[in-house]
């Protein structure tokens, strides 16, 4: 599993999957390009294949929903947290 250094500067290793999920959770809804930009701002660079695999993992786990907006753009949205429903 790919590991990234978190931007807190404390050299803590953090799984890419968790980092991507946190970015999506903060935004609620964003595009794949925006997610890549957010990761790049934190100093995380991923190959497109690794990005897609991790995004697919999050979708399989039921954490996010991915849909095509245009031929080259995907919309990523957070699936409602089951723990926050009342």
């Amino acid at each position: 599993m790919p590991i990234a250094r978190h931007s807190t500067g404390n050299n803590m290793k953090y799984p890419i999957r968790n980092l991507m999920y946190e970015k999506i959770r903060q935004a609620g809804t964003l595009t794949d390009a925006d997610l890549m930009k957010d990761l790049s701002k934190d100093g995380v660079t991923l190959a497109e294949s690794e990005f897609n695999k991790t995004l697919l993992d999050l979708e399989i786990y039921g954490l996010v929903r991915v849909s095509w907006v245009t031929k080259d753009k995907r919309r990523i949205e957070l699936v409602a947290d089951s723990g926050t429903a009342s």
Side-chain angles (χ1 to χ4, degrees):
M1 170 179 8
I3 304 289
R5 296 209 184 278
H6 200 267
S7 63
T8 58
N10 62 4
N11 290 334
M12 181 178 88
K13 292 187 177 181
Y14 203 64
I16 293 293
R17 181 183 334 134
N18 294 12
L19 186 57
M20 283 178 65
Y21 178 69
E22 286 299 316
K23 294 283 182 192
I24 297 165
R25 198 166 64 92
Q26 289 170 2
T29 301
L30 71 167
T31 65
D32 54 344
D34 291 337
L35 180 56
M36 277 291 253
K37 275 189 238 170
D38 285 349
L39 291 170
S40 293
K41 287 178 186 174
D42 284 351
V44 177
T45 54
L46 287 173
E48 187 173 349
S49 61
E50 191 61 44
F51 177 81
N52 290 332
K53 182 195 176 308
T54 305
L55 197 55
L56 180 61
D57 286 346
L58 291 172
E59 191 170 21
I60 289 170
Y61 295 150
L63 300 172
V64 300
R65 185 175 303 121
V66 180
S67 56
W68 289 98
V69 176
T70 65
K71 180 182 168 193
D72 299 325
K73 186 188 277 189
R74 291 175 288 183
R75 178 177 188 225
I76 305 164
E77 56 188 323
L78 186 67
V79 173
D81 290 331
S82 58
T84 59
S86 34

